[in-house]
Amino acid sequence: MKHTTKALIAAMTLCVSASAVASSHREAPSITKTPKVDATDFYMFNSYENNRADYVTIIANYLPLQDAYGGPNYFALDDDALYEIHIDNNGDAVEDITFQFDFTQNLNSIEIDSDGNPSTPNVAIPLSNAGDASVAANVQTSESYDVTMVKGDRRSGSRTDLGNFKKPFDYIGTKSFADYPTYARSFIKPLNLGSCGQGRVFVGQRAESFAIDLGRVFDLINLNPLGARNGGTNILADKNITSIAMEVPKACLVNATGNDPVIGAWTTASVRQATLVNGNPASGISTTAKKGGAWTQVSRLGMPLVNEVVIGLKDKDKFNASEPKDDVAKFAPYVFYPTLPALIQTLYPQAPAPTNFPRQDLVTAFLTGVPTINKPANPKLVPADMLRLNTSTPAVAAANQNDLGVISIIPGQNDGRPSATAKDVAGFPNGRRPGDDVTDIALRVSMGALCHAGLPADVTCVPADAKAGKALFTDGAVKPATEFDSVFPYLKTPNPGSR
């Protein structure tokens, strides 16, 4: 059977939308072996902190499922890896700007004698800290990172050093840190971006920002998708992650010559090709291996979440190594027939799957952007898996955000919200804010909600194509914007290892 490229793209988009039933945790076989470079969530939105209307906030979360009590070796990022955030500002699915984060972990060995005094003879202590951990001298390890901006190709483009910064230590507990929120906020630093202005940067542990019952999702979607929006369990509530957060002036991100306010973005992590294990490591930190060779991409995340439940098991690592421009060419075999709507129909016969193949409504929502909302102006736009944000869309204050984002414009999809928050096109898939319920949005769009929306001709479907399209599908886990901070870096203080 032959399929047109348009059909492949449409089917791929359905898979993209369907995949957002969980965050990107442990999504591929190889990444389970290297959790430090596992991207879990990716956010990009127009900043809604007061007086920051000219900025875009970008957050890339890494190192999933951190148990707050996980000492004495806590959750440092990989100092042999390169973490990157890529911006496409002309719609060709190739990076035009890349922000690189290169980490270094340092050892500050604390040694004491048998009476607990730092005198000779001394023996190194086994814990991470000896005393107040907000005092650097009392902590055995520390992390710093270099930030570099690359214009053009991520490896061969023009490079600008943006500075070296320090990362706060993870939240050991309330005895080690008397006031962790204040301590952590001291690591938010200015980021000088030259002629386009000054931004801000923060890297550090945060409370897990995604909400879902992962166990039930992977147990054949053992949820009630037609039940109450607050009827589920957030199994991630006591977990932490590590965030790479930037606030960047819009003028630094948009295409200065094309007069197009829409940008696309995704995050990746890369490691060196070769590793040589040292069978007799020296005393110190990170002395067990030597790594070399070219940078090799091992993690990739744009929309939440393509790889975990769409790409076949044998190709999940391949997807993590791929680039957006190659999505259709490399992964077409997996996208002919999307499975989530059919599975929902099987489990819940009262919710029939859409019939409008190819699913151009989903191409519009997830791969190209919605006309007049977040579709780039490039007539040769390359459909690709990345977040797309219209930087000219006015930000909505946290208290007024509708966590259903763009689909809130569809009659009947507001779930009883007051008129002040009834319609909100500043959220997913027009970028993604921390409080956006991407799971519910994706479920509803994959089941045909846009066929009832009266959107532009790009959608090319009608209500008869999606008989369940008005249903208020949900995974039951809700974490609205009011559960996040209203100032940079927006994600909450991490859970302490002890209380």
Side-chain angles (χ1 to χ4, degrees):
M1 181 180 295
K2 295 182 179 180
H3 298 264
T4 64
T5 300
K6 181 177 179 181
L8 298 186
I9 294 171
M12 173 173 284
T13 309
L14 178 57
C15 289
V16 171
S17 67
S19 67
V21 297
S23 189
S24 185
H25 298 63
R26 294 172 53 84
E27 77 284 352
S30 288
I31 209 68
T32 65
K33 304 173 185 178
T34 54
K36 291 187 176 186
V37 289
D38 185 358
T40 69
D41 280 289
F42 186 61
Y43 303 91
M44 179 171 64
F45 52 94
N46 292 314
S47 297
Y48 51 88
E49 179 179 344
N50 289 339
N51 302 315
R52 307 298 286 185
D54 293 330
Y55 295 83
V56 168
T57 295
I58 306 172
I59 304 171
N61 287 348
Y62 280 87
L63 217 171
L65 304 176
Q66 297 178 18
D67 288 316
Y69 50 81
N73 295 291
Y74 288 89
F75 299 97
L77 292 177
D78 190 345
D79 55 5
D80 288 318
L82 186 64
Y83 300 82
E84 296 176 290
I85 292 170
H86 310 282
I87 308 296
D88 167 27
N89 60 23
N90 60 11
D92 64 357
V94 176
E95 69 271 10
D96 298 294
I97 305 168
T98 295
F99 296 97
Q100 297 178 339
F101 293 77
D102 190 1
F103 291 85
T104 301
Q105 189 175 26
N106 303 296
L107 177 65
N108 171 37
S109 184
I110 299 175
E111 301 177 352
I112 60 175
D113 64 18
S114 58
D115 294 321
N117 300 311
S119 59
T120 306
N122 295 333
V123 179
I125 67 170
L127 304 182
S128 292
N129 60 304
D132 181 356
S134 65
V135 177
N138 292 338
V139 182
Q140 292 220 77
T141 61
S142 63
E143 290 178 89
S144 61
Y145 58 97
D146 295 307
V147 183
T148 303
M149 181 171 63
V150 184
K151 297 287 186 71
D153 182 86
R154 67 183 77 174
R155 299 292 174 258
S156 61
S158 173
R159 302 172 61 85
T160 301
D161 179 9
L162 301 182
N164 178 266
F165 306 89
K166 296 185 182 299
K167 173 179 173 289
F169 202 83
D170 293 345
Y171 197 175
I172 300 168
T174 55
K175 185 175 182 180
S176 294
F177 287 101
D179 185 0
Y180 191 85
T182 298
Y183 162 77
R185 287 198 64 80
S186 71
F187 289 83
I188 299 174
K189 298 299 182 183
L191 188 66
N192 187 355
L193 293 157
S195 60
C196 61
Q198 180 174 282
R200 291 186 286 184
V201 66
F202 170 84
V203 177
Q205 190 180 51
R206 298 282 90 189
E208 170 63 69
S209 53
F210 199 77
I212 199 167
D213 189 341
L214 282 174
R216 290 186 179 274
V217 166
F218 294 119
D219 184 20
L220 297 179
I221 316 179
N222 188 11
L223 302 165
N224 181 6
L226 297 174
R229 288 196 75 207
N230 60 354
T233 300
N234 178 18
I235 200 67
L236 303 177
D238 63 347
K239 305 297 184 182
N240 295 326
I241 42 78
T242 299
S243 294
I244 299 172
M246 306 177 66
E247 189 181 55
V248 182
K250 295 176 181 179
C252 296
L253 299 175
V254 298
N255 190 324
T257 60
N259 194 31
D260 187 354
V262 176
I263 58 175
W266 68 101
T267 184
T268 63
S270 300
V271 298
R272 295 295 186 181
Q273 280 184 325
T275 299
L276 180 64
V277 177
N278 184 354
N280 186 28
S283 298
I285 193 166
S286 299
T287 63
T288 59
K290 295 291 185 181
K291 300 186 179 183
W295 288 116
T296 303
Q297 182 180 304
V298 295
S299 181
R300 169 190 164 192
L301 179 58
M303 296 287 280
L305 141 76
V306 177
N307 203 2
E308 193 159 4
V309 297
V310 176
I311 302 300
L313 185 64
K314 68 177 184 178
D315 282 335
K316 288 181 180 294
D317 294 326
K318 182 177 180 179
F319 181 86
N320 269 344
S322 68
E323 297 184 29
K325 65 182 177 61
D326 299 322
D327 283 347
V328 174
K330 286 190 174 182
F331 303 105
Y334 294 110
V335 302
F336 291 145
Y337 299 103
T339 57
L340 182 64
L343 181 57
I344 291 175
Q345 176 178 281
T346 299
L347 297 172
Y348 303 92
Q350 68 271 38
T355 58
N356 56 307
F357 294 100
R359 292 291 303 275
Q360 187 61 40
D361 56 324
L362 299 174
V363 175
T364 299
F366 294 101
L367 288 189
T368 65
V370 180
T372 74
I373 294 179
N374 69 329
K375 183 177 181 178
N378 185 352
K380 297 182 179 180
L381 171 67
V382 177
D385 168 32
M386 64 177 73
L387 279 180
R388 298 190 190 275
L389 173 69
N390 188 333
T391 62
S392 68
T393 302
V396 176
N400 294 327
Q401 290 177 12
N402 187 322
D403 63 359
L404 292 175
V406 173
I407 71 165
S408 66
I409 68 177
I410 302 173
Q413 288 290 333
N414 293 318
D415 291 18
R417 287 169 175 75
S419 58
T421 60
K423 295 183 179 181
D424 179 4
V425 296
F428 184 76
N430 186 10
R432 180 186 176 190
R433 301 169 300 198
D436 289 340
D437 193 341
V438 296
T439 303
D440 284 8
I441 296 168
L443 281 170
R444 297 180 188 195
V445 173
S446 69
M447 293 302 289
L450 295 188
C451 297
H452 298 261
L455 290 175
D458 298 55
V459 174
T460 65
C461 62
V462 297
D465 296 322
K467 294 180 181 179
K470 285 189 175 182
L472 303 180
F473 291 97
T474 182
D475 71 307
V478 176
K479 194 170 184 177
T482 51
E483 294 189 21
F484 296 91
D485 290 334
S486 295
V487 297
F488 182 83
Y490 294 95
L491 305 190
K492 286 284 191 180
T493 297
N495 297 291
S498 71
R499 300 179 187 274

